[in-house]
Amino acid sequence: MSDLQTIIMAAGLGTRMKSRTAKVLHRAAGRPLIDYVVDLASEISDAPPVIVVGHQREVVQQHVGDRARYAVQEKQLGTGHAVQQAIDYVKDAKDVLILSGDVPLTRPETLQRLVEEHRRSGNALTLLTMSLDDPALYGRIVRDPTGAVVKIVEAKDADEQQRKIREVNAGIYVFDGKHLASNLKRLSKNNAQGEYYLTDLIGMLRESGKRIGAVIAPDPIEALGVNSRAELATVESEIQRRVVERLMNEGVTFRNPATVVIDSTVSIGQDTVIYPFVTLEGNTRIGNACVIEPGVHLQNVTVGNDVHLKSGTVAEDAVIEDEATVGPYAHLRPGTQLGKHVKVGNFVETKKAIFGEGAKASHLSYIGDAEVGADANIGAGTITCNYDGVNKHKTVIEDGAFIGSDTQLVAPVRVGRGAYVGAGSTITKDVPPDSLALSRIPQKVIEGWAKRRKKKK
Ligand code: UD1
Ligand code: CA
């Protein structure tokens, strides 16, 4: 929509959060609250929103970057004062949409309706309201006997009768630009909190005979403001619900959707099945037809198609290609890349390890700072000794090599293409291609020893 500029109020610390972090930087489903509001603003208007910043403004600005413009509110003297700081940016706009940085769940359709209603009716102000069973600390909407909105009374300023009003202010408004600019100057802080209330504009416009409209949010959750950790948790679970709903519409199966935790940044392909108690975070992308079993925890992991992640697999900053199988209880640490058809089995830990197509490490191994060639086979209990106490060194296992069980590969070391390492070896020197390396002590057998020992007793 042209002629529409947006202001997002986001300068407050959020005292009730009891945090050192500015409220709009608290995360829900993996993203800071402000992100959801900036997304919303950009769905409604092409002009980048003006964010009023104050607490931790450098961090907020750095995070949002050039998706927005910024107005600084040095002291948080109230929502009216916040908008005053931004007004110069928007004073030529026909309409000004005001959003709160702590109200992240509003749907674009609802805002669209608010703006359309505003334009259709020629109001000076149209605001979003909602009806709550417990109106708590929200501003109360006072209407006259004809139903027209007269004013907003903040909970802390309300009398007993007003406190009973269940229709409350969502903190989302569309103002006629001219009326907003001219009336902002007239705000005073003569109230319970000693702040300049944006909400006082409603009474002021009404008294000067202007039209005020209200749109009631279809679902009050859309206007839920985050003021406490409990409200943050409610917002998180609503976003989770929406994420899972979207993914199901896109063809993902969830065996128990209520138990999974999936950031809103995650994508999952068709026909993938997600078991209970799975956590997927950050920039994680999962392909088609994968099976993700219980207790899998992925952070910034790219997973191809037809991959099977068994119970308890934990991975971070890793890539897992098509048809690989991992786990149960495998730990893929940053820099792990598993090629097609790779198998990494139970109790295997990897770090900066690149596995070629078809390579296998099926049981109980540590493979760090390593390259494992295509179709190489790493036996149970193999350890790459990559750290000498000061530096990390690399192990290279070439294509088709076979590493017997319980081998230590003391890096830097290379096992050549097709070579064999006998079980129980400590490999300190390179093994040439197609050879056999063995380093265990030859076995000694003393016949009848056990029998003689028993007799002595
Ligand atoms: C505000 C409304 C209340 C409404 C509620 C809806 C006022 C006076 N009250 O109350 O009617 O029901 O939102 O969620 O407007 N902010 C600034 N600078 C300031 C103060 C606040 O930028 O000086 C920002 C905050 O960072 C926050 C938003 O404005 O993002 C709302 O402020 P908050 O203190 O949470 O207002 P509420 O008490 O919730
Ligand atoms: Ca609030």
Side-chain angles (χ1 to χ4, degrees):
M1 278 182 210
S2 53
D3 307 337
L4 182 75
Q5 297 270 2
T6 309
I7 296 173
I8 301 174
M9 301 180 289
L13 174 65
T15 319
R16 284 172 274 166
M17 294 297 284
K18 306 253 168 69
S19 173
R20 290 195 299 197
T21 302
K23 182 160 67 177
V24 298
L25 293 173
H26 281 265
R27 285 168 184 269
R31 300 177 79 200
L33 296 174
I34 189 72
D35 276 3
Y36 295 100
V37 185
V38 170
D39 278 3
L40 194 58
S42 51
E43 292 222 28
I44 298 296
S45 171
D46 293 334
V50 181
I51 305 184
V52 184
V53 289
H55 272 283
Q56 294 186 325
R57 66 187 171 91
E58 296 82 7
V59 192
V60 176
Q61 276 180 245
Q62 202 192 355
H63 177 75
V64 178
D66 59 11
R67 288 183 289 161
R69 296 167 287 167
Y70 302 92
V72 177
Q73 186 189 28
E74 295 289 353
K75 277 194 185 151
Q76 283 69 57
L77 301 178
T79 48
H81 184 256
V83 174
Q84 275 169 8
Q85 312 313 304
I87 196 71
D88 279 349
Y89 281 105
V90 303
K91 61 179 188 298
D92 298 326
K94 189 181 166 326
D95 296 309
V96 179
L97 171 67
I98 298 182
L99 302 173
S100 296
D102 64 346
V103 179
L105 295 177
T106 320
R107 293 195 187 263
E109 305 86 82
T110 303
L111 280 193
Q112 209 77 39
R113 256 187 62 211
L114 186 73
V115 174
E116 274 158 23
E117 170 63 16
H118 179 77
R119 294 192 164 160
R120 192 190 54 74
S121 59
N123 291 334
L125 160 65
T126 312
L127 66 147
L128 189 69
T129 73
M130 55 178 165
S131 188
L132 295 180
D133 292 338
D134 172 15
L137 290 175
Y138 288 94
R140 307 299 199 262
I141 305 292
V142 180
R143 291 181 185 255
D144 72 10
T146 71
V149 174
V150 175
K151 61 177 173 180
I152 295 179
V153 181
E154 289 306 305
K156 286 182 181 149
D157 298 289
D159 61 33
E160 211 178 310
Q161 214 49 40
Q162 289 165 334
R163 262 199 287 270
K164 285 187 190 139
I165 299 173
R166 286 174 38 188
E167 188 186 4
V168 299
N169 172 26
I172 293 174
Y173 322 80
V174 188
F175 278 94
D176 172 280
K178 283 199 196 68
H179 290 313
L180 174 65
S182 61
N183 283 284
L184 266 182
K185 301 184 193 115
R186 299 172 51 213
L187 289 177
S188 81
K189 45 179 183 173
N190 190 13
N191 52 53
Q193 301 185 81
E195 289 183 357
Y196 296 96
Y197 290 165
L198 185 63
T199 46
D200 283 350
L201 290 180
I202 286 83
M204 284 163 54
L205 288 170
R206 163 80 183 191
E207 273 161 30
S208 53
K210 299 295 184 301
R211 287 175 62 100
I212 297 167
V215 168
I216 303 178
D219 179 354
I221 194 103
E222 286 197 40
L224 179 70
V226 175
N227 301 296
S228 63
R229 304 279 178 160
E231 285 166 339
L232 182 64
T234 308
V235 162
E236 165 103 32
S237 61
E238 172 64 12
I239 297 175
Q240 291 292 319
R241 200 190 58 74
R242 291 180 185 183
V243 166
V244 168
E245 186 180 72
R246 168 174 59 81
L247 290 168
M248 290 195 292
N249 286 333
E250 289 169 7
V252 180
T253 293
F254 288 88
R255 298 212 43 200
N256 188 342
T259 63
V260 301
V261 175
I262 301 183
D263 282 355
S264 49
T265 43
V266 168
S267 70
I268 307 178
Q270 246 179 355
D271 291 320
T272 286
V273 178
I274 309 285
Y275 278 67
F277 300 105
V278 166
T279 299
L280 306 174
E281 294 183 293
N283 184 26
T284 291
R285 329 222 145 267
I286 297 178
N288 298 330
C290 295
V291 176
I292 313 294
E293 288 189 7
V296 169
H297 184 175
L298 306 181
Q299 192 163 38
N300 307 325
V301 177
T302 303
V303 179
N305 301 322
D306 301 292
V307 168
H308 189 170
L309 301 185
K310 297 185 183 171
S311 298
T313 293
V314 174
E316 187 184 346
D317 298 309
V319 176
I320 304 168
E321 291 182 29
D322 298 351
E323 292 168 58
T325 305
V326 183
Y329 307 104
H331 186 187
L332 311 182
R333 292 170 49 208
T336 296
Q337 283 181 41
L338 307 185
K340 273 180 140 188
H341 290 291
V342 161
K343 182 176 179 221
V344 166
N346 31 197
F347 307 107
V348 172
E349 175 182 344
T350 63
K351 187 213 71 175
K352 278 193 195 153
I354 299 175
F355 281 65
E357 195 171 329
K360 287 190 181 67
S362 298
H363 336 264
L364 298 156
S365 287
Y366 172 63
I367 309 296
D369 299 300
E371 268 173 41
V372 180
D375 296 315
N377 193 329
I378 295 179
T382 295
I383 307 286
T384 54
C385 309
N386 59 328
Y387 187 47
D388 60 15
V390 183
N391 295 308
K392 302 273 169 70
H393 302 281
K394 196 166 170 183
T395 301
V396 178
I397 298 164
E398 292 184 352
D399 293 356
F402 181 96
I403 312 295
S405 297
D406 193 27
T407 292
Q408 298 106 56
L409 298 156
V410 182
V413 74
R414 173 181 291 264
V415 178
R417 180 183 272 269
Y420 271 62
V421 172
S425 294
T426 301
I427 299 298
T428 54
K429 288 188 232 120
D430 288 358
V431 179
D434 297 316
S435 53
L436 168 68
L438 264 179
S439 76
R440 62 176 99 109
I441 300 170
Q443 182 170 323
K444 202 157 123 184
V445 174
I446 305 172
E447 298 248 3
W449 181 91
K451 206 172 189 176
R452 287 197 296 278
R453 186 168 180 261
K454 262 185 217 146
K455 267 191 193 149
K456 264 193 213 160
K457 283 189 183 166

